[in-house]
Amino acid sequence: MLVDDFDFDLPPENIALRPAVPRDSSRMLVVRPDGEQLLTDDQVLSLPDLLEPGDALVFNDTKVIPAQLLGFRSRDGVTAKVGVTLHQRASAKEWRAFVRPAKKLKVGDTVRFAFDEESKDTAEFSAVVTVKSEAGDILFEFDRSAGELDAAIAQVGHIPLPPYIAAKRAEDDQDRKDYQTIYAKYEGAVAAPTAGLHFTDQLFAALEERGVEKHFVTLHVGAGTFLPVKADKTEDHKMHFEYGEISGVTAAALNAVRARGNKIVSVGTTSLRILESSVSEDGVINPISQSTDIFITPGYQFKAIDALMTNFHLPRSTLFMLVSALSGMDEMRVAYEHAISTGYRFYSYGDSSLLFKKASK
């Protein structure tokens, strides 16, 4: 398929630069491809009423780390500044990262990291460039490992706000709270599973009272989620790997939900991707502990989930391709046109949608 098929115009005023307060006060567009009414304007707080007792929500409990680093490379008496975004841990002391500008680094270079330019001369935290890959990322070997490395990153790192927010304002202390779900548990993500940002203790209590189950999986979201699709055809695009886990207990619980005829609703595309990576052809969800580069485009047959709660995505993005695969290309184009014209807030800090799976033909 052509990537151009997934393009649309989005006015800048539709891009959210801050989340709604409180989190669960966001609007939510409900899309039912096989219903009498395709679109319904609603709100996140109505989620319990849109689900049935015994249905299950599946959340991604990854925790965002401050993975945006400011680096300084010295060579032949010249110091160059580089922006480093960690995207996948390779070992206790190694990370793969995207670097801008990458041309300033070569294998063997040492990069020192500091919180800002004023503290660059006292920076002790460093890494050596060991590999520059054809995929465009760089492998760093740091001067410390495991918990010591994590602590160093936390001390000098910045929250990696998506480019469409970072281009308009700087990261601040509020983002350290806003860009994290209230149930985040396992550190490793460099981007938030943003569908989960809408949930509050109040909403969880209402879901529990309704009899809706909640289950947790893990997918450590990589910075590749921010990368544009540069290929002309979808089949030529290569996804970056992201590590994920589903426990045996969670897999069994979700299979029981399906067996009794209830719905499995993924909260976010990251939860969806690890679920679909784990499911067998007969629809059984299996325990998993591995990396996935699953790329979902129209024509894909969903086997693990029945619906998806997700924010509104970028044009020409792999995530807009995914939602078009779930609810239909024509249906999602109508939905996004409606969302834009009625003032829904887009992207990471924006409003939500609840998308039901279109019946297979």
Side-chain angles (χ1 to χ4, degrees):
M1 301 184 70
L2 295 176
V3 174
D4 284 346
D5 293 338
F6 301 93
D7 201 7
F8 59 88
D9 292 323
L10 181 71
E13 56 267 27
N14 284 86
I15 300 175
L17 299 183
R18 296 283 185 185
V21 180
R23 294 175 177 229
D24 54 15
S25 64
S26 292
R27 299 171 69 191
M28 184 166 69
L29 180 63
V30 182
V31 182
R32 298 181 184 272
D34 300 313
E36 293 183 4
Q37 184 176 353
L38 174 64
L39 305 177
T40 304
D41 294 305
D42 217 312
Q43 57 183 349
V44 169
L45 278 171
S46 298
L47 182 61
D49 298 327
L50 296 168
L51 302 176
E52 299 296 329
D55 288 346
L57 291 167
V58 183
F59 300 87
N60 182 5
D61 59 11
T62 189
K63 190 171 186 178
V64 179
I65 63 172
Q68 189 77 51
L69 304 177
L70 180 62
F72 300 91
R73 180 232 70 199
S74 296
R75 189 196 306 147
D76 301 327
V78 177
T79 298
K81 182 172 67 174
V82 292
V84 174
T85 303
L86 307 177
H87 79 86
Q88 186 181 42
R89 191 162 205 154
S91 73
K93 61 187 309 182
E94 294 177 302
W95 274 89
R96 291 183 176 87
F98 299 112
V99 177
R100 298 183 66 182
K103 64 182 180 181
K104 290 189 176 181
L105 297 183
K106 64 181 181 180
V107 173
D109 279 343
T110 295
V111 179
R112 292 176 295 107
F113 299 100
F115 182 78
D116 52 28
E117 291 202 49
E118 286 70 27
S119 55
K120 67 180 180 181
D121 293 331
T122 59
E124 299 179 357
F125 171 40
S126 66
V128 175
V129 177
T130 58
V131 178
K132 291 188 72 173
S133 76
E134 294 182 0
D137 60 354
I138 287 175
L139 181 64
F140 286 102
E141 181 177 334
F142 288 85
D143 62 356
R144 60 203 71 190
S145 66
E148 288 187 4
L149 175 56
D150 295 341
I153 292 172
Q155 183 176 8
V156 306
H158 298 265
I159 294 296
L161 289 179
Y164 42 80
I165 295 177
K168 296 190 176 183
R169 68 168 179 83
E171 166 239 14
D172 56 29
D173 289 341
Q174 187 61 39
D175 289 307
R176 293 204 172 224
K177 299 177 182 178
D178 290 341
Y179 202 60
Q180 197 82 267
T181 64
I182 65 169
Y183 50 82
K185 187 175 183 180
Y186 299 107
E187 291 189 342
V190 301
T194 54
L197 297 179
H198 298 286
F199 286 82
T200 62
D201 291 335
Q202 175 190 4
L203 182 53
F204 273 138
L207 288 163
E208 184 176 2
E209 183 177 357
R210 176 66 169 161
V212 175
E213 296 182 8
K214 64 177 185 289
H215 300 282
F216 296 92
V217 298
T218 304
L219 184 75
H220 292 315
V221 191
T225 189
F226 297 142
L227 295 181
V229 178
K230 296 181 179 179
D232 293 328
K233 297 181 179 180
T234 58
E235 56 265 33
D236 294 330
H237 177 69
K238 178 63 177 174
M239 297 284 284
H240 284 81
F241 280 95
E242 296 166 313
Y243 179 78
E245 294 184 3
I246 300 175
S247 70
V249 172
T250 297
L254 293 175
N255 288 325
V257 172
R258 177 62 50 76
R260 65 174 178 258
N262 280 103
K263 294 186 293 295
I264 296 175
V265 181
S266 174
V267 178
T269 58
T270 58
S271 299
L272 183 152
R273 292 180 65 243
I274 193 63
L275 286 168
E276 291 294 330
S277 297
S278 76
V279 70
S280 55
E281 287 298 321
D282 57 1
V284 174
I285 295 172
N286 299 288
I288 190 174
S289 180
Q290 66 185 56
S291 293
T292 178
D293 64 346
I294 187 171
F295 181 23
I296 295 174
T297 58
Y300 178 86
Q301 298 300 311
F302 292 85
K303 298 178 285 295
I305 62 103
D306 302 289
L308 167 68
M309 183 177 173
T310 186
N311 288 15
F312 293 93
H313 303 293
L314 281 76
R316 300 172 61 87
S317 66
T318 60
L319 300 182
F320 185 57
M321 296 172 193
L322 185 155
V323 297
S324 297
L326 181 70
S327 296
M329 289 185 65
D330 293 339
E331 289 83 354
M332 289 312 302
R333 188 163 294 279
V334 170
Y336 271 50
E337 288 175 354
H338 172 83
I340 292 169
S341 65
T342 56
Y344 277 80
R345 302 165 72 246
F346 272 57
Y347 303 162
S348 295
Y349 280 154
D351 293 318
S352 185
S353 64
L354 180 62
L355 313 177
F356 288 89
K357 181 171 63 176
K358 186 174 183 178
S360 302
K361 293 184 179 179

